Amino acid sequence: MNLKYEYLLPIGSVVKVKNVEQWQMVIGVLQRGAAIPERTFDYVAVPYPEGLYDMRLNIGFDHNDIEKVIFRGYEDNDRKAFLILLEAMSRKKEREKHAD
């Protein structure tokens, strides 16, 4: 089954983001930016290997901003269920938008 959000990397993934020197570890997906609350990013990440030590260092970025995947995070049936839930929520939102 192909899902709309199947492209999203799992949390724990470590990536090289374009124009960012330090590798980043994904800690969330489809998150709103703190600095730009009306914008939803594919990912929110913290510097690797330090992790979360200063909230101001978290960054939001989209999948097309990834230059290289260094490590792909853990995937299991819970993650698959999460992607299915995201798909259902996205379809519901689209239906509601078209109903207006």
Side-chain angles (χ1 to χ4, degrees):
M1 170 184 357
N2 289 339
L3 299 171
K4 178 179 179 178
Y5 295 109
E6 201 164 30
Y7 71 90
L8 291 172
L9 293 169
I11 60 170
S13 295
V14 177
V15 298
K16 168 67 175 92
V17 178
K18 294 173 189 170
N19 302 316
V20 177
E21 190 172 323
Q22 190 167 6
W23 290 355
Q24 300 294 310
M25 184 176 70
V26 174
I27 62 169
V29 297
L30 299 178
Q31 304 283 317
R32 292 187 187 250
I36 314 168
E38 64 278 0
R39 171 94 196 283
T40 299
F41 292 96
D42 288 338
Y43 305 102
V44 64
V46 295
Y48 178 86
E50 297 91 330
L52 180 61
Y53 66 90
D54 186 339
M55 293 290 286
R56 295 171 296 178
L57 298 178
N58 292 2
I59 66 167
F61 59 94
D62 293 319
H63 195 77
N64 61 355
D65 296 320
I66 296 173
E67 189 174 300
K68 182 177 181 183
V69 175
I70 308 301
F71 174 80
R72 190 172 177 94
Y74 181 69
E75 298 178 81
D76 64 1
N77 288 332
D78 288 339
R79 180 173 186 281
K80 185 70 163 182
F82 173 67
L83 293 176
I84 292 169
L85 175 64
L86 285 177
E87 183 83 17
M89 290 171 52
S90 175
R91 287 182 181 164
K92 181 180 180 204
K93 188 175 180 180
E94 284 296 314
R95 283 193 306 269
E96 289 171 354
K97 186 167 67 172
H98 290 5
D100 291 341

